Amino acid sequence: MRQLLQGFRHLLRGQRWAVRHGRWWGFGLLPGLVSLVLYVAALVALAVWSGDLADWITPFADHWSSGARTALRDLTALLLVGGGLMLAVVTFTAVTLMIGEPFYESLSERVEDIEGGGPAPLGLSWWRQLLWGLRDALASVLIVAGIGVLLFGCSFVPVVGQTVVPVVGACVSGFFLTEQLTAVAFQRRGLTFRQRVRRLRGRLPLALGFGVPLVLLFLIPLVAVFAMPGAVAGATLLVRDLDPANPAPAGPPAAAPPPAPSAPVAGPGPSAPGPTPTA
């Protein structure tokens, strides 16, 4: 329970950090606003063309009676719009993180600078960092999608599907949302996707305490836009808690201590008188 509350406190700390640093909060809003405009345009286009899509999907109903054909295609159009809206809610955060990779990298670095400094940069080119981020984001999305399909199948089980499955789904989504948000700060420390998952799994209550409230909050895309900068800041603070030690800057090699003086070696003394030669 203590780690759950600690994770939630990191979330609140991140939001407070974003409010206190308004310029960086506004900077972090830009990717979310771009994603919101793209999603709204896509959903409006889907709503406008949903009737034509429904006609194209259901050619077998061309010879049905007018009432049955209209009812089927209206239902199909409604399902298309509803499915598109659900897909938008599920993918909004991942797409925003991919679009905002450079923005959130700068925001995370600024958080580390203000909070006491972070590790030295890895020295990777921007395109290597972009490919790294896209690969890890794709891996995370595929894992969540696979687990989501499994949970969807379990949702048809009586009682379990209406009680256990939603809780497990929220926990899985919260864990991987935490992984996606902490990826920027963890990558700065040289951790791969598997290493990040292992690190967060070792502090599972902490990760869930941070991510599950965000999942519930991000169900509203407009709220997600305004909360995203604080979420990135909070995730950076969480990484600093998990990995507080920053590597010391490399300096000139220390001079070797002088060797200890050796004991003086006694020189040859006077020779002892030899025997007196006899005649």
Side-chain angles (χ1 to χ4, degrees):
M1 179 60 71
R2 189 173 67 87
Q3 288 194 26
L4 281 172
L5 294 176
Q6 187 179 5
F8 186 66
R9 281 197 294 269
H10 280 300
L11 176 59
L12 295 181
R13 283 181 61 197
Q15 299 301 326
R16 286 198 297 267
W17 191 96
V19 170
R20 289 198 306 267
H21 302 83
R23 185 170 70 88
W24 284 97
W25 177 72
F27 179 78
L29 283 180
L30 295 177
L33 292 174
V34 171
S35 297
L36 183 64
V37 170
L38 293 176
Y39 271 89
V40 168
L43 288 173
V44 169
L46 178 61
V48 170
W49 297 99
S50 60
D52 294 333
L53 286 174
D55 294 346
W56 179 73
I57 293 173
T58 59
F60 55 85
D62 290 341
H63 305 292
W64 290 11
S65 64
S66 176
R69 182 174 62 249
T70 301
L72 174 66
R73 289 177 172 172
D74 286 348
L75 177 61
T76 303
L78 183 62
L79 290 175
L80 285 172
V81 174
L85 182 60
M86 182 61 65
L87 184 64
V89 170
V90 171
T91 61
F92 181 83
T93 301
V95 172
T96 301
L97 288 171
M98 285 190 288
I99 292 175
E101 176 75 19
F103 294 85
Y104 298 140
E105 174 71 27
S106 299
L107 176 59
S108 179
E109 287 181 356
R110 185 57 178 164
V111 172
E112 298 233 52
D113 291 341
I114 292 177
E115 297 299 321
L122 297 178
L124 298 176
S125 59
W126 68 269
W127 64 269
R128 288 283 300 275
Q129 295 183 20
L130 179 61
L131 290 178
W132 192 5
L134 290 175
R135 181 196 62 190
D136 292 348
L138 180 60
S140 179
V141 169
L142 289 177
I143 291 174
V144 173
I147 297 175
V149 171
L150 179 62
L151 292 176
F152 178 75
C154 294
S155 66
F156 294 100
V157 178
V159 182
V160 174
Q162 291 73 45
T163 55
V164 177
V165 170
V167 174
V168 174
C171 290
V172 171
S173 299
F175 178 84
F176 281 99
L177 178 58
T178 302
E179 187 281 321
Q180 290 174 355
L181 289 169
T182 55
V184 171
F186 271 138
Q187 286 174 359
R188 195 177 303 118
R189 288 158 172 80
L191 270 68
T192 64
F193 174 73
R194 290 185 178 181
Q195 291 170 331
R196 298 197 303 266
V197 170
R198 191 179 303 118
R199 183 73 60 89
L200 292 174
R201 193 172 55 196
R203 299 285 295 275
L204 184 60
L206 180 70
L208 295 180
F210 183 87
V212 172
L214 271 178
V215 168
L216 301 177
L217 190 64
F218 283 6
L219 290 176
I220 310 171
L222 187 60
V223 175
V225 172
F226 294 99
M228 185 65 81
V232 174
T236 304
L237 296 173
L238 187 147
V239 170
R240 291 177 64 84
D241 181 62
L242 290 176
D243 189 13
N246 294 324
S262 59
V265 179
S271 58
T276 305
T278 58

